[in-house]
Amino acid sequence: MIYIIILLIFGATLPLKAQQSSSLQLKGYMVPMCVYQGDTIPCITLKNIYIYPTVKFKSRKQERYYYKLVRDVKKTLPLAREIRNIVIETYEYLETLPDEKARKKHIKLVEKGLKEQYTPKMKKLTFSQGKLLIKLVNRECNQSSYQLVKAFMGPFKAGFYQTFAALFGASLKKEYHPEEEDRMIERVIILVENGQL
């Protein structure tokens, strides 16, 4: 008899517990779903993870160069991406302007705004970071800095800025070669982008 009373009490409380648990808010994420062999499963695309062999340094000088390169990439890569976004945005806006006069006026405004905004940032870069930035702009925009300046500001200003850069041993025409001389830079960029450095 006691067992029957316990079963009745237990049985009466089960629906109450079920109702309470269904009213609880579960925390989670909405993800796309896909059907695989008749089952609906979450479909999540993960980032690629690159695994490189451990860097073996032949000397302390090489090790210092590598860690300096990591620091420089972390500092200049965001600037190169900002430049890419500005180039795309400016190009798209120039396409909407009716005539050459309006385009030139807009280019002058953009140039003035960029000088005000980026001169303090550029002054903080070291010489090696400046040279790296030129290469990263080429990587991000698929055009050299010289070609970008020439396209937007004309050949005279492009020549002027190239001459100015040459005075300091740099070149706006420097290109990025990820398979050849810039292999180590590309490796560092990929590792930084994936949060592995």
Side-chain angles (χ1 to χ4, degrees):
M1 186 69 166
I2 294 177
Y3 293 117
I4 295 173
I5 294 172
I6 292 174
L7 282 172
L8 288 174
I9 292 172
F10 182 69
T13 59
L14 275 178
L16 293 175
K17 288 183 182 177
Q19 287 177 355
Q20 288 173 352
S21 66
S22 66
S23 66
L24 293 175
Q25 292 291 326
L26 297 177
K27 293 184 180 179
Y29 298 98
M30 297 291 291
V31 295
M33 305 299 271
C34 58
V35 177
Y36 177 73
Q37 295 181 350
D39 288 332
T40 304
I41 58 172
C43 189
I44 302 169
T45 304
L46 300 174
K47 283 185 180 179
N48 289 335
I49 302 236
Y50 296 90
I51 299 174
Y52 290 102
T54 306
V55 180
K56 293 183 179 157
F57 304 107
K58 294 178 182 173
S59 66
R60 292 282 296 156
K61 185 177 178 181
Q62 277 187 340
E63 186 177 1
R64 282 194 309 271
Y65 170 78
Y66 178 77
Y67 288 111
K68 182 177 173 292
L69 180 63
V70 170
R71 181 200 68 200
D72 291 350
V73 166
K74 286 182 177 182
K75 189 167 186 177
T76 56
L77 187 60
L79 285 172
R81 293 214 168 116
E82 285 180 37
I83 291 168
R84 178 194 63 207
N85 293 337
I86 290 167
V87 166
I88 291 169
E89 185 179 301
T90 303
Y91 177 76
E92 288 175 352
Y93 186 74
L94 287 176
E95 291 297 310
T96 65
L97 296 176
D99 58 357
E100 191 63 31
K101 185 178 178 183
R103 288 186 190 110
K104 286 182 180 180
K105 183 178 177 184
H106 181 70
I107 288 290
K108 285 184 182 181
L109 289 173
V110 168
E111 183 181 6
K112 182 181 176 189
L114 290 176
K115 280 183 181 177
E116 289 173 3
Q117 183 178 359
Y118 286 99
T119 298
K121 289 181 183 180
M122 297 300 169
K123 283 185 176 181
K124 291 180 183 176
L125 295 179
T126 64
F127 179 69
S128 61
Q129 288 170 347
K131 288 175 81 173
L132 180 62
L133 180 62
I134 290 170
K135 284 188 172 198
L136 294 183
V137 166
N138 182 251
R139 178 185 187 267
E140 293 295 318
C141 299
N142 293 324
Q143 290 183 340
S144 69
S145 300
Y146 178 82
Q147 290 168 326
L148 291 172
V149 173
K150 185 177 176 183
F152 286 106
M153 297 180 200
F156 178 75
K157 280 198 177 182
F160 172 77
Y161 286 128
Q162 172 62 19
T163 304
F164 186 74
L167 290 174
F168 294 99
S171 173
L172 296 180
K173 296 180 181 180
K174 197 76 170 166
E175 292 185 359
Y176 185 75
H177 302 286
E179 301 296 324
E180 298 165 14
E181 64 192 59
D182 299 320
R183 272 195 322 262
M184 187 59 75
I185 297 171
E186 185 67 18
R187 172 186 172 146
V188 171
I189 290 170
I190 289 170
L191 292 174
V192 166
E193 286 175 334
N194 288 321
Q196 293 174 271
L197 272 180

